[in-house]
């Protein structure tokens, strides 16, 4: 595993973000998804994040990204949702007809941490710490 670094730490922080269209309106096609992805890539550096994977369905998107320990995730997500909502409605004015009161994203979102080890494996590793030194 390649780890990320900054001046004071070593880390690998993966996040799985799911954003849903308000009232699950079916408005996302390949073109809209590509445009939303471009907006995401445009603000990566501002928030010290890096896109790892992107995909969509007709009413939501899935994003896998990495971040730094200092990244303010809620600020990033709110900035992305706000800017992408405005920009997507400007780029695709016909989309407004399919939305509820012009709201593009649902107010809520799902953000999950993700990594290479399962939670159970981490628990067992933590529980096992100090066992060998106690036997010596």
């Amino acid at each position: 595993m390649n780890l990320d670094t900054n001046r004071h730490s070593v880390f690998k922080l993966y996040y799985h973000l799911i954003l849903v269209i308000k009232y699950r309106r079916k408005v996302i096609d390949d073109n809209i998804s590509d445009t939303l992805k471009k907006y995401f890539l445009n603000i990566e550096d501002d928030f010290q994040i890096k896109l790892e994977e992107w995909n969509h369905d007709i009413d939501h998107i899935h994003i896998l990204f990495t971040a730094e320990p200092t990244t303010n995730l809620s600020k990033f997500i709110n900035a992305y949702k706000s800017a992408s909502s405005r920009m997507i409605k400007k780029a695709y004015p016909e989309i407004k007809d399919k939305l509820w009161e012009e709201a593009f994203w649902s107010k809520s979102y799902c953000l999950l941490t993700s990594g290479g080890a399962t939670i159970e494996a981490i628990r067992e590793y933590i529980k096992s710490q100090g066992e060998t030194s106690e036997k010596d």
Side-chain angles (χ1 to χ4, degrees), residues 17 19 72-82 109 111:
L17 175 63
L19 298 176
N72 185 331
L73 295 172
S74 62
K75 187 175 180 181
F76 155 68
I77 293 167
N78 288 330
Y80 174 72
K81 286 171 63 176
S82 178
Y109 57 86
L111 181 65

Side-chain angles (χ1 to χ4, degrees), residues 125-136:
Y125 174 77
I126 292 170
K127 286 178 185 177
S128 73
Q129 294 305 292
E131 288 178 0
T132 56
S133 62
E134 290 175 8
K135 295 176 184 176
D136 296 335

Side-chain angles (χ1 to χ4, degrees), residues 102-115:
E102 293 195 23
F104 188 75
W105 297 114
S106 170
K107 288 183 181 180
S108 59
Y109 57 86
C110 178
L111 181 65
L112 307 165
T113 56
S114 182

Side-chain angles (χ1 to χ4, degrees), residues 19-31:
L19 298 176
V20 178
I21 303 300
K22 182 83 170 190
Y23 298 115
R24 292 272 189 176
R25 301 293 184 175
K26 296 166 178 33
V27 298
I28 302 176
D29 59 18
D30 289 342
N31 292 329

Side-chain angles (χ1 to χ4, degrees), residues 17-60:
L17 175 63
I18 304 164
L19 298 176
V20 178
I21 303 300
K22 182 83 170 190
Y23 298 115
R24 292 272 189 176
R25 301 293 184 175
K26 296 166 178 33
V27 298
I28 302 176
D29 59 18
D30 289 342
N31 292 329
I32 290 173
S33 176
D34 289 345
T35 304
L36 291 168
K37 183 178 178 181
K38 286 177 192 171
Y39 297 150
F40 189 95
L41 293 170
N42 284 341
I43 65 169
E44 275 185 332
D45 292 339
D46 297 339
F47 292 93
Q48 298 85 39
I49 62 168
K50 183 177 182 297
L51 178 66
E52 297 289 329
E53 194 67 44
W54 180 282
N55 208 344
H56 73 279
D57 203 334
I58 56 177
D59 60 358
H60 65 280

